[in-house]
Amino acid sequence: MVNMRKFLVPVVTGAAISAVVSLLAAAAPSPIVRTGYHLTARPWKPLAIPSGQYLDAIEGVCRYSIRQQDAEGAIIDPFVKREYQYATPYFAYAAGTLIHAGRAADLLPYGVKAMDHATKCFAAGNSAIPDQHGNFFIAALVGALDLYAGHVAESTIAAWRERLKTPRRAIQAENATNNWETYVMKGEWMRVLAGLADRADATAAIEEAWASRQRDRVAPEPWRLYHDRTSDPDTLSVEAVGRGNLLALTHLGYDGPSAREIRDAVESGSRLTLLLQDPSGQVPANGRTDDHVWVDVGYQLAFEVMAERSQGDAWLAGQYRHAAMLSFQSIARWRRTDGPWAGSYFVTKNHFDPGERVGYQPASQYSNYNGSLMFHLAEAYHARASQIEERPAPSEIGGYAAEMDSLFATAFANAGGMQMQVNLRGQTTVTHENRWTPLGVVRFARAGWDTRLGPSDGALTRDNGGVTFAPAFLENGRWLRLAELAARYEGVWSVEFVHPLLVRCAVDYRPKAGQSGPTFRNQFTLTPDGVFSEVRKTSPDAVKWGVTWPLLENDGRPLTRTQSAYVASTGYAGSADRQNFLAIAASAPEVTREELERSTYGDLRPVRVVTAESVNRVFVYPSSSGDPAPDSVQASFRMTPDGFRSSLGRVSGKLYAGRTSAGGVGREIDLDGDGKPDVRFNLECGFLLQLDRGKVIAIETDRAVTADVAGRRLTLLAHAPVLLTAPRAR
């Protein structure tokens, strides 16, 4: 477990809410409900990733890239066979970062050639820049100047500086008013700081861009996320780009009239994204550029910046630092080691041949998106300036339910590090060669587990088909999955109860205005062990219906799959992690394996499950080494008057008791199921207990109370965890 000796004083983050959880859920409806706990449901330890590992990853991409560099210094894309977009200046910045850090000195001539070529293109204006991507050149080239200083002749630096004085209007793309413009805002301020642009002119341009176009793209409170508006529902991938550039602008000390407004907006949005990151470090699913590896590095960069900016709150700063490391750890799953590609990364989160362009948008090419990865990773390396002790990330603690605004149309819930993302609308038209967002649950993720199996995302093909965890029904002799009915159906999100170990929420699926069809209610109970789903048809239609289980079968490498009468499982060969869907029914359900659908992650198998009961019950169970076998969990599962129980744990009303944690809202709890309370409080409160072999080793409450635990009386303060004993070695 996390070392709680360091948390024995009241610490509540700025985002924490220290009220009783049941009152939170019962108050005026809020799209975001979160709690202020510190203890984790599962054993936790820091990642302790040194910043040098960032450089290792950067060097790998750089050494791959020099094999693609031509005599003029341009980085040539291996698939389109030409220089593409901003690959060259991004390589120049990354190589400069290595050289500045005192390593990879042999890369200096390659970096210099790239700087020479890219600055000459810059000086000639946007028409001379590959694909007219001048907006993206500014920050990388200006930032690289200091990295090469002292390593090349002063006359070379002077020549580069002179080229980088080219007026903004000559290199800025016309009518680029989405995230593209934020690159210019960031880059122009960097030119001011480098003495390459007039401060008054740059400030006026930044203010005009903010007031006329960019302010309107930032969602109102309580979200403050960036709307790129390039897909519908909007993209939660490109969101990180616009917000990240504006965050960089403020971090670089922008002091124009709107500086505080911009800072407050992007810092608030960045705090929210701590809830959206999955427990393995991935950015949320959905929208244009969905499931592209480099976007995780965008989150990493923002979290590193926020860690540095939050040092007045040691807990929050530590959460940001750990979240940044989770992001970095996440991308390692898609790093290549094969021959000439070694050191580079797959563009999208699968292992298919990049020539197949699985999950790509038109702009997705090997060189530019490996360039984005190494550039932003280099920026993250520079941003990480202080030693900050890691703390558990919100996605590892849980205790929140968050519905995004209507343009994003998605919701998240997390209990004890078990996270779920569900989409409330699907994309109806093709944008950037795909329909990126399907209706239904697209992600199940758990702390300390391979979230690729979740599945990490649903699927929605360009022309038809779609797979999510959602109802399906028979119409005119054809089975229809809600994931493929974006034009007909939508979902309505609701939240009943939120605690770090127990979240109850629901989605009501119904036809859109002017459409018809059966209605369904999907109730979810999240615990640290998994997600219990109960689906009911809520309309009187006499139609046959079921629920779709999405199983990942191949992501460029076949997975191992098993299926029994009540259980379907999938996992990677050689790994103990498995995703298991357990049918909770009195008799074996009717199970139909439908045709594969290719997602950005890989091939998903829709498994349609129809039961004879009026409620279709499923337990989604991510298992790891040491966990009970899925068939034994299914056999042990029992419904109770106020919840359910299995070999994993039990839920009783507002209380949960499991193998490594227990808690909820109440005055007492029975940990061993003998009918006698093992922990009592003098007042009803929200509480969380860490357990080791059935014994309480740490305790946290959401208000000041006294507690009787194993013969000890404790005086507790709100959200001030108390360590009773260290966990025993296993």
Side-chain angles (χ1 to χ4, degrees), residues 119 121-127 129 134-135 137-138 161-173 184 187-188 191 196-198 201-202 205:
T119 54
C121 291
F122 192 96
N126 200 39
S127 61
I129 292 173
N135 297 40
F137 273 51
I138 310 172
R161 286 180 57 86
E162 192 61 32
R163 294 168 190 165
L164 292 176
K165 292 179 181 178
T166 302
R168 175 185 68 257
R169 297 164 185 82
I171 54 88
Q172 184 174 357
V184 178
E188 273 302 275
R191 292 213 297 180
L196 301 174
D198 177 74
D201 177 69

PDB file of all heavy atoms in Angstrom, residues 119 121-127 129 134-135 137-138 161-173 184 187-188 191 196-198 201-202 205:
ATOM      1  N   THR A 119      14.756  26.237 -41.072  1.00  0.00           N
ATOM      2  CA  THR A 119      14.761  27.704 -40.967  1.00  0.00           C
ATOM      3  C   THR A 119      14.766  28.351 -42.346  1.00  0.00           C
ATOM      4  O   THR A 119      14.197  29.433 -42.537  1.00  0.00           O
ATOM      5  CB  THR A 119      15.958  28.200 -40.133  1.00  0.00           C
ATOM      6  OG1 THR A 119      17.180  27.680 -40.669  1.00  0.00           O
ATOM      7  CG2 THR A 119      15.827  27.783 -38.673  1.00  0.00           C
ATOM      8  N   CYS A 121      13.204  27.085 -44.966  1.00  0.00           N
ATOM      9  CA  CYS A 121      11.790  26.997 -45.354  1.00  0.00           C
ATOM     10  C   CYS A 121      10.986  28.087 -44.659  1.00  0.00           C
ATOM     11  O   CYS A 121      10.122  28.731 -45.283  1.00  0.00           O
ATOM     12  CB  CYS A 121      11.227  25.626 -44.988  1.00  0.00           C
ATOM     13  SG  CYS A 121      11.880  24.237 -45.949  1.00  0.00           S
ATOM     14  N   PHE A 122      11.264  28.292 -43.381  1.00  0.00           N
ATOM     15  CA  PHE A 122      10.561  29.296 -42.586  1.00  0.00           C
ATOM     16  C   PHE A 122      10.751  30.685 -43.190  1.00  0.00           C
ATOM     17  O   PHE A 122       9.783  31.454 -43.347  1.00  0.00           O
ATOM     18  CB  PHE A 122      11.093  29.254 -41.156  1.00  0.00           C
ATOM     19  CG  PHE A 122      10.287  30.032 -40.157  1.00  0.00           C
ATOM     20  CD1 PHE A 122       9.328  29.417 -39.368  1.00  0.00           C
ATOM     21  CD2 PHE A 122      10.500  31.395 -39.974  1.00  0.00           C
ATOM     22  CE1 PHE A 122       8.597  30.121 -38.434  1.00  0.00           C
ATOM     23  CE2 PHE A 122       9.775  32.120 -39.038  1.00  0.00           C
ATOM     24  CZ  PHE A 122       8.810  31.474 -38.271  1.00  0.00           C
ATOM     25  N   ALA A 123      11.992  30.986 -43.540  1.00  0.00           N
ATOM     26  CA  ALA A 123      12.290  32.315 -44.084  1.00  0.00           C
ATOM     27  C   ALA A 123      11.610  32.548 -45.418  1.00  0.00           C
ATOM     28  O   ALA A 123      11.302  33.703 -45.778  1.00  0.00           O
ATOM     29  CB  ALA A 123      13.803  32.477 -44.227  1.00  0.00           C
ATOM     30  N   ALA A 124      11.338  31.499 -46.167  1.00  0.00           N
ATOM     31  CA  ALA A 124      10.708  31.635 -47.478  1.00  0.00           C
ATOM     32  C   ALA A 124       9.194  31.745 -47.389  1.00  0.00           C
ATOM     33  O   ALA A 124       8.521  31.947 -48.409  1.00  0.00           O
ATOM     34  CB  ALA A 124      11.099  30.450 -48.357  1.00  0.00           C
ATOM     35  N   GLY A 125       8.628  31.585 -46.189  1.00  0.00           N
ATOM     36  CA  GLY A 125       7.192  31.748 -46.008  1.00  0.00           C
ATOM     37  C   GLY A 125       6.434  30.437 -46.069  1.00  0.00           C
ATOM     38  O   GLY A 125       6.975  29.385 -46.427  1.00  0.00           O
ATOM     39  N   ASN A 126       5.162  30.518 -45.754  1.00  0.00           N
ATOM     40  CA  ASN A 126       4.362  29.313 -45.579  1.00  0.00           C
ATOM     41  C   ASN A 126       4.259  28.485 -46.852  1.00  0.00           C
ATOM     42  O   ASN A 126       4.148  27.256 -46.798  1.00  0.00           O
ATOM     43  CB  ASN A 126       2.960  29.675 -45.078  1.00  0.00           C
ATOM     44  CG  ASN A 126       2.259  28.492 -44.436  1.00  0.00           C
ATOM     45  OD1 ASN A 126       2.875  27.711 -43.729  1.00  0.00           O
ATOM     46  ND2 ASN A 126       0.961  28.373 -44.679  1.00  0.00           N
ATOM     47  N   SER A 127       4.297  29.119 -48.011  1.00  0.00           N
ATOM     48  CA  SER A 127       4.191  28.360 -49.261  1.00  0.00           C
ATOM     49  C   SER A 127       5.393  27.453 -49.473  1.00  0.00           C
ATOM     50  O   SER A 127       5.311  26.473 -50.217  1.00  0.00           O
ATOM     51  CB  SER A 127       4.041  29.314 -50.450  1.00  0.00           C
ATOM     52  OG  SER A 127       5.182  30.165 -50.548  1.00  0.00           O
ATOM     53  N   ILE A 129       6.903  25.925 -46.892  1.00  0.00           N
ATOM     54  CA  ILE A 129       6.893  24.972 -45.780  1.00  0.00           C
ATOM     55  C   ILE A 129       6.061  23.763 -46.179  1.00  0.00           C
ATOM     56  O   ILE A 129       4.972  23.915 -46.750  1.00  0.00           O
ATOM     57  CB  ILE A 129       6.331  25.642 -44.513  1.00  0.00           C
ATOM     58  CG1 ILE A 129       7.315  26.711 -44.023  1.00  0.00           C
ATOM     59  CG2 ILE A 129       6.066  24.634 -43.415  1.00  0.00           C
ATOM     60  CD1 ILE A 129       6.800  27.554 -42.880  1.00  0.00           C
ATOM     61  N   GLY A 134       3.187  26.107 -41.475  1.00  0.00           N
ATOM     62  CA  GLY A 134       4.060  27.063 -40.811  1.00  0.00           C
ATOM     63  C   GLY A 134       3.697  27.308 -39.355  1.00  0.00           C
ATOM     64  O   GLY A 134       4.573  27.588 -38.524  1.00  0.00           O
ATOM     65  N   ASN A 135       2.413  27.224 -39.019  1.00  0.00           N
ATOM     66  CA  ASN A 135       1.990  27.423 -37.624  1.00  0.00           C
ATOM     67  C   ASN A 135       2.776  26.540 -36.671  1.00  0.00           C
ATOM     68  O   ASN A 135       3.092  26.940 -35.547  1.00  0.00           O
ATOM     69  CB  ASN A 135       0.503  27.093 -37.469  1.00  0.00           C
ATOM     70  CG  ASN A 135      -0.398  28.001 -38.269  1.00  0.00           C
ATOM     71  OD1 ASN A 135      -0.092  28.345 -39.396  1.00  0.00           O
ATOM     72  ND2 ASN A 135      -1.524  28.394 -37.692  1.00  0.00           N
ATOM     73  N   PHE A 137       5.797  25.298 -37.042  1.00  0.00           N
ATOM     74  CA  PHE A 137       7.250  25.457 -37.071  1.00  0.00           C
ATOM     75  C   PHE A 137       7.762  26.406 -35.987  1.00  0.00           C
ATOM     76  O   PHE A 137       8.892  26.278 -35.518  1.00  0.00           O
ATOM     77  CB  PHE A 137       7.687  25.990 -38.445  1.00  0.00           C
ATOM     78  CG  PHE A 137       7.934  24.939 -39.484  1.00  0.00           C
ATOM     79  CD1 PHE A 137       6.989  23.956 -39.745  1.00  0.00           C
ATOM     80  CD2 PHE A 137       9.106  24.929 -40.223  1.00  0.00           C
ATOM     81  CE1 PHE A 137       7.210  22.983 -40.716  1.00  0.00           C
ATOM     82  CE2 PHE A 137       9.345  23.971 -41.193  1.00  0.00           C
ATOM     83  CZ  PHE A 137       8.399  22.993 -41.445  1.00  0.00           C
ATOM     84  N   ILE A 138       6.939  27.386 -35.603  1.00  0.00           N
ATOM     85  CA  ILE A 138       7.462  28.508 -34.816  1.00  0.00           C
ATOM     86  C   ILE A 138       8.051  28.053 -33.487  1.00  0.00           C
ATOM     87  O   ILE A 138       9.230  28.305 -33.194  1.00  0.00           O
ATOM     88  CB  ILE A 138       6.365  29.561 -34.570  1.00  0.00           C
ATOM     89  CG1 ILE A 138       5.658  29.942 -35.868  1.00  0.00           C
ATOM     90  CG2 ILE A 138       6.981  30.808 -33.940  1.00  0.00           C
ATOM     91  CD1 ILE A 138       4.440  30.838 -35.673  1.00  0.00           C
ATOM     92  N   ARG A 161      18.562  32.780 -36.362  1.00  0.00           N
ATOM     93  CA  ARG A 161      17.749  33.822 -35.721  1.00  0.00           C
ATOM     94  C   ARG A 161      17.194  34.783 -36.778  1.00  0.00           C
ATOM     95  O   ARG A 161      16.027  35.181 -36.701  1.00  0.00           O
ATOM     96  CB  ARG A 161      18.574  34.588 -34.692  1.00  0.00           C
ATOM     97  CG  ARG A 161      18.850  33.823 -33.400  1.00  0.00           C
ATOM     98  CD  ARG A 161      19.672  34.673 -32.427  1.00  0.00           C
ATOM     99  NE  ARG A 161      19.004  35.929 -32.119  1.00  0.00           N
ATOM    100  CZ  ARG A 161      18.090  36.084 -31.161  1.00  0.00           C
ATOM    101  NH1 ARG A 161      17.717  35.047 -30.416  1.00  0.00           N
ATOM    102  NH2 ARG A 161      17.538  37.268 -30.948  1.00  0.00           N
ATOM    103  N   GLU A 162      18.028  35.152 -37.717  1.00  0.00           N
ATOM    104  CA  GLU A 162      17.581  36.101 -38.736  1.00  0.00           C
ATOM    105  C   GLU A 162      16.423  35.511 -39.546  1.00  0.00           C
ATOM    106  O   GLU A 162      15.435  36.204 -39.834  1.00  0.00           O
ATOM    107  CB  GLU A 162      18.746  36.469 -39.648  1.00  0.00           C
ATOM    108  CG  GLU A 162      18.462  37.655 -40.559  1.00  0.00           C
ATOM    109  CD  GLU A 162      18.164  38.947 -39.781  1.00  0.00           C
ATOM    110  OE1 GLU A 162      18.717  39.140 -38.673  1.00  0.00           O
ATOM    111  OE2 GLU A 162      17.358  39.763 -40.303  1.00  0.00           O
ATOM    112  N   ARG A 163      16.525  34.243 -39.880  1.00  0.00           N
ATOM    113  CA  ARG A 163      15.451  33.597 -40.637  1.00  0.00           C
ATOM    114  C   ARG A 163      14.164  33.530 -39.819  1.00  0.00           C
ATOM    115  O   ARG A 163      13.061  33.636 -40.365  1.00  0.00           O
ATOM    116  CB  ARG A 163      15.880  32.191 -41.048  1.00  0.00           C
ATOM    117  CG  ARG A 163      17.038  32.151 -42.026  1.00  0.00           C
ATOM    118  CD  ARG A 163      17.595  30.736 -42.173  1.00  0.00           C
ATOM    119  NE  ARG A 163      18.840  30.721 -42.929  1.00  0.00           N
ATOM    120  CZ  ARG A 163      19.682  29.688 -42.974  1.00  0.00           C
ATOM    121  NH1 ARG A 163      19.388  28.573 -42.298  1.00  0.00           N
ATOM    122  NH2 ARG A 163      20.785  29.769 -43.676  1.00  0.00           N
ATOM    123  N   LEU A 164      14.314  33.347 -38.509  1.00  0.00           N
ATOM    124  CA  LEU A 164      13.139  33.203 -37.644  1.00  0.00           C
ATOM    125  C   LEU A 164      12.481  34.537 -37.312  1.00  0.00           C
ATOM    126  O   LEU A 164      11.489  34.562 -36.578  1.00  0.00           O
ATOM    127  CB  LEU A 164      13.523  32.456 -36.365  1.00  0.00           C
ATOM    128  CG  LEU A 164      13.905  30.982 -36.574  1.00  0.00           C
ATOM    129  CD1 LEU A 164      14.355  30.349 -35.267  1.00  0.00           C
ATOM    130  CD2 LEU A 164      12.744  30.190 -37.166  1.00  0.00           C
ATOM    131  N   LYS A 165      12.994  35.619 -37.861  1.00  0.00           N
ATOM    132  CA  LYS A 165      12.335  36.922 -37.730  1.00  0.00           C
ATOM    133  C   LYS A 165      11.288  37.144 -38.822  1.00  0.00           C
ATOM    134  O   LYS A 165      10.610  38.178 -38.833  1.00  0.00           O
ATOM    135  CB  LYS A 165      13.371  38.045 -37.788  1.00  0.00           C
ATOM    136  CG  LYS A 165      14.300  38.099 -36.594  1.00  0.00           C
ATOM    137  CD  LYS A 165      15.315  39.238 -36.736  1.00  0.00           C
ATOM    138  CE  LYS A 165      16.281  39.285 -35.554  1.00  0.00           C
ATOM    139  NZ  LYS A 165      17.296  40.348 -35.719  1.00  0.00           N
ATOM    140  N   THR A 166      11.158  36.199 -39.717  1.00  0.00           N
ATOM    141  CA  THR A 166      10.161  36.321 -40.784  1.00  0.00           C
ATOM    142  C   THR A 166       8.801  36.646 -40.168  1.00  0.00           C
ATOM    143  O   THR A 166       8.373  36.003 -39.203  1.00  0.00           O
ATOM    144  CB  THR A 166      10.069  35.004 -41.571  1.00  0.00           C
ATOM    145  OG1 THR A 166      11.359  34.692 -42.095  1.00  0.00           O
ATOM    146  CG2 THR A 166       9.063  35.111 -42.703  1.00  0.00           C
ATOM    147  N   PRO A 167       8.105  37.651 -40.683  1.00  0.00           N
ATOM    148  CA  PRO A 167       6.835  38.069 -40.068  1.00  0.00           C
ATOM    149  C   PRO A 167       5.827  36.933 -39.935  1.00  0.00           C
ATOM    150  O   PRO A 167       5.742  36.050 -40.798  1.00  0.00           O
ATOM    151  CB  PRO A 167       6.328  39.153 -41.023  1.00  0.00           C
ATOM    152  CG  PRO A 167       7.562  39.675 -41.683  1.00  0.00           C
ATOM    153  CD  PRO A 167       8.482  38.498 -41.822  1.00  0.00           C
ATOM    154  N   ARG A 168       5.110  36.969 -38.855  1.00  0.00           N
ATOM    155  CA  ARG A 168       4.103  35.960 -38.558  1.00  0.00           C
ATOM    156  C   ARG A 168       3.143  35.764 -39.727  1.00  0.00           C
ATOM    157  O   ARG A 168       2.773  34.637 -40.075  1.00  0.00           O
ATOM    158  CB  ARG A 168       3.328  36.381 -37.304  1.00  0.00           C
ATOM    159  CG  ARG A 168       2.164  35.477 -36.939  1.00  0.00           C
ATOM    160  CD  ARG A 168       1.386  36.043 -35.760  1.00  0.00           C
ATOM    161  NE  ARG A 168       0.683  37.276 -36.080  1.00  0.00           N
ATOM    162  CZ  ARG A 168       1.080  38.492 -35.728  1.00  0.00           C
ATOM    163  NH1 ARG A 168       2.191  38.671 -35.048  1.00  0.00           N
ATOM    164  NH2 ARG A 168       0.376  39.569 -36.070  1.00  0.00           N
ATOM    165  N   ARG A 169       2.719  36.831 -40.322  1.00  0.00           N
ATOM    166  CA  ARG A 169       1.714  36.753 -41.381  1.00  0.00           C
ATOM    167  C   ARG A 169       2.219  35.983 -42.597  1.00  0.00           C
ATOM    168  O   ARG A 169       1.429  35.453 -43.377  1.00  0.00           O
ATOM    169  CB  ARG A 169       1.276  38.151 -41.778  1.00  0.00           C
ATOM    170  CG  ARG A 169       0.586  38.915 -40.632  1.00  0.00           C
ATOM    171  CD  ARG A 169       0.496  40.411 -40.885  1.00  0.00           C
ATOM    172  NE  ARG A 169      -0.053  41.124 -39.741  1.00  0.00           N
ATOM    173  CZ  ARG A 169       0.666  41.483 -38.672  1.00  0.00           C
ATOM    174  NH1 ARG A 169       1.954  41.168 -38.622  1.00  0.00           N
ATOM    175  NH2 ARG A 169       0.108  42.144 -37.674  1.00  0.00           N
ATOM    176  N   ALA A 170       3.546  35.900 -42.747  1.00  0.00           N
ATOM    177  CA  ALA A 170       4.112  35.199 -43.891  1.00  0.00           C
ATOM    178  C   ALA A 170       4.143  33.693 -43.699  1.00  0.00           C
ATOM    179  O   ALA A 170       4.226  32.943 -44.682  1.00  0.00           O
ATOM    180  CB  ALA A 170       5.529  35.707 -44.164  1.00  0.00           C
ATOM    181  N   ILE A 171       4.091  33.253 -42.471  1.00  0.00           N
ATOM    182  CA  ILE A 171       4.202  31.808 -42.222  1.00  0.00           C
ATOM    183  C   ILE A 171       2.940  31.219 -41.610  1.00  0.00           C
ATOM    184  O   ILE A 171       2.834  30.011 -41.439  1.00  0.00           O
ATOM    185  CB  ILE A 171       5.432  31.491 -41.326  1.00  0.00           C
ATOM    186  CG1 ILE A 171       5.413  32.306 -40.028  1.00  0.00           C
ATOM    187  CG2 ILE A 171       6.719  31.740 -42.088  1.00  0.00           C
ATOM    188  CD1 ILE A 171       4.686  31.711 -38.895  1.00  0.00           C
ATOM    189  N   GLN A 172       1.966  32.038 -41.302  1.00  0.00           N
ATOM    190  CA  GLN A 172       0.749  31.556 -40.655  1.00  0.00           C
ATOM    191  C   GLN A 172      -0.269  31.118 -41.693  1.00  0.00           C
ATOM    192  O   GLN A 172      -0.549  31.837 -42.656  1.00  0.00           O
ATOM    193  CB  GLN A 172       0.149  32.647 -39.772  1.00  0.00           C
ATOM    194  CG  GLN A 172      -1.070  32.220 -38.980  1.00  0.00           C
ATOM    195  CD  GLN A 172      -1.529  33.309 -38.026  1.00  0.00           C
ATOM    196  OE1 GLN A 172      -0.911  34.360 -37.916  1.00  0.00           O
ATOM    197  NE2 GLN A 172      -2.628  33.059 -37.330  1.00  0.00           N
ATOM    198  N   ALA A 173      -0.826  29.918 -41.506  1.00  0.00           N
ATOM    199  CA  ALA A 173      -1.852  29.425 -42.421  1.00  0.00           C
ATOM    200  C   ALA A 173      -3.111  30.272 -42.306  1.00  0.00           C
ATOM    201  O   ALA A 173      -3.488  30.714 -41.219  1.00  0.00           O
ATOM    202  CB  ALA A 173      -2.169  27.968 -42.111  1.00  0.00           C
ATOM    203  N   VAL A 184       0.370  29.212 -33.046  1.00  0.00           N
ATOM    204  CA  VAL A 184       0.914  30.538 -33.356  1.00  0.00           C
ATOM    205  C   VAL A 184       0.963  31.397 -32.095  1.00  0.00           C
ATOM    206  O   VAL A 184       1.942  32.120 -31.854  1.00  0.00           O
ATOM    207  CB  VAL A 184       0.079  31.223 -34.453  1.00  0.00           C
ATOM    208  CG1 VAL A 184       0.608  32.627 -34.738  1.00  0.00           C
ATOM    209  CG2 VAL A 184       0.096  30.383 -35.722  1.00  0.00           C
ATOM    210  N   GLY A 187       3.896  30.160 -30.167  1.00  0.00           N
ATOM    211  CA  GLY A 187       5.141  30.443 -30.876  1.00  0.00           C
ATOM    212  C   GLY A 187       5.486  31.917 -30.922  1.00  0.00           C
ATOM    213  O   GLY A 187       6.660  32.296 -30.779  1.00  0.00           O
ATOM    214  N   GLU A 188       4.481  32.772 -31.117  1.00  0.00           N
ATOM    215  CA  GLU A 188       4.759  34.212 -31.169  1.00  0.00           C
ATOM    216  C   GLU A 188       5.292  34.714 -29.833  1.00  0.00           C
ATOM    217  O   GLU A 188       6.190  35.559 -29.791  1.00  0.00           O
ATOM    218  CB  GLU A 188       3.500  34.987 -31.548  1.00  0.00           C
ATOM    219  CG  GLU A 188       3.278  35.141 -33.033  1.00  0.00           C
ATOM    220  CD  GLU A 188       4.445  35.833 -33.721  1.00  0.00           C
ATOM    221  OE1 GLU A 188       4.485  37.082 -33.746  1.00  0.00           O
ATOM    222  OE2 GLU A 188       5.328  35.129 -34.234  1.00  0.00           O
ATOM    223  N   ARG A 191       8.822  33.872 -29.604  1.00  0.00           N
ATOM    224  CA  ARG A 191       9.649  34.785 -30.403  1.00  0.00           C
ATOM    225  C   ARG A 191       9.877  36.097 -29.665  1.00  0.00           C
ATOM    226  O   ARG A 191      10.969  36.673 -29.735  1.00  0.00           O
ATOM    227  CB  ARG A 191       8.992  35.049 -31.762  1.00  0.00           C
ATOM    228  CG  ARG A 191       8.982  33.828 -32.662  1.00  0.00           C
ATOM    229  CD  ARG A 191       9.102  34.162 -34.125  1.00  0.00           C
ATOM    230  NE  ARG A 191       8.006  34.944 -34.661  1.00  0.00           N
ATOM    231  CZ  ARG A 191       7.933  35.343 -35.932  1.00  0.00           C
ATOM    232  NH1 ARG A 191       8.916  35.047 -36.775  1.00  0.00           N
ATOM    233  NH2 ARG A 191       6.904  36.035 -36.355  1.00  0.00           N
ATOM    234  N   LEU A 196      12.859  38.029 -31.136  1.00  0.00           N
ATOM    235  CA  LEU A 196      12.681  37.854 -32.574  1.00  0.00           C
ATOM    236  C   LEU A 196      11.397  38.486 -33.093  1.00  0.00           C
ATOM    237  O   LEU A 196      11.154  38.466 -34.304  1.00  0.00           O
ATOM    238  CB  LEU A 196      12.670  36.360 -32.915  1.00  0.00           C
ATOM    239  CG  LEU A 196      13.925  35.572 -32.516  1.00  0.00           C
ATOM    240  CD1 LEU A 196      13.720  34.083 -32.765  1.00  0.00           C
ATOM    241  CD2 LEU A 196      15.138  36.077 -33.281  1.00  0.00           C
ATOM    242  N   ALA A 197      10.558  39.001 -32.215  1.00  0.00           N
ATOM    243  CA  ALA A 197       9.296  39.618 -32.625  1.00  0.00           C
ATOM    244  C   ALA A 197       8.990  40.783 -31.698  1.00  0.00           C
ATOM    245  O   ALA A 197       9.421  40.801 -30.536  1.00  0.00           O
ATOM    246  CB  ALA A 197       8.168  38.598 -32.595  1.00  0.00           C
ATOM    247  N   ASP A 198       8.250  41.736 -32.208  1.00  0.00           N
ATOM    248  CA  ASP A 198       7.871  42.910 -31.427  1.00  0.00           C
ATOM    249  C   ASP A 198       6.831  42.522 -30.375  1.00  0.00           C
ATOM    250  O   ASP A 198       5.809  41.900 -30.705  1.00  0.00           O
ATOM    251  CB  ASP A 198       7.306  43.978 -32.362  1.00  0.00           C
ATOM    252  CG  ASP A 198       6.829  45.198 -31.613  1.00  0.00           C
ATOM    253  OD1 ASP A 198       7.679  45.970 -31.152  1.00  0.00           O
ATOM    254  OD2 ASP A 198       5.589  45.340 -31.482  1.00  0.00           O
ATOM    255  N   ASP A 201       3.215  44.023 -30.977  1.00  0.00           N
ATOM    256  CA  ASP A 201       2.529  43.400 -32.107  1.00  0.00           C
ATOM    257  C   ASP A 201       2.100  41.976 -31.760  1.00  0.00           C
ATOM    258  O   ASP A 201       0.968  41.567 -32.059  1.00  0.00           O
ATOM    259  CB  ASP A 201       3.457  43.380 -33.324  1.00  0.00           C
ATOM    260  CG  ASP A 201       2.816  42.677 -34.514  1.00  0.00           C
ATOM    261  OD1 ASP A 201       1.852  43.222 -35.072  1.00  0.00           O
ATOM    262  OD2 ASP A 201       3.274  41.564 -34.848  1.00  0.00           O
ATOM    263  N   ALA A 202       2.995  41.211 -31.127  1.00  0.00           N
ATOM    264  CA  ALA A 202       2.668  39.831 -30.766  1.00  0.00           C
ATOM    265  C   ALA A 202       1.543  39.786 -29.747  1.00  0.00           C
ATOM    266  O   ALA A 202       0.627  38.961 -29.848  1.00  0.00           O
ATOM    267  CB  ALA A 202       3.910  39.128 -30.229  1.00  0.00           C
ATOM    268  N   ALA A 205      -1.747  40.416 -31.384  1.00  0.00           N
ATOM    269  CA  ALA A 205      -2.203  39.262 -32.159  1.00  0.00           C
ATOM    270  C   ALA A 205      -2.759  38.169 -31.250  1.00  0.00           C
ATOM    271  O   ALA A 205      -3.789  37.558 -31.550  1.00  0.00           O
ATOM    272  CB  ALA A 205      -1.044  38.717 -32.996  1.00  0.00           C
TER     273      ALA A 205
END
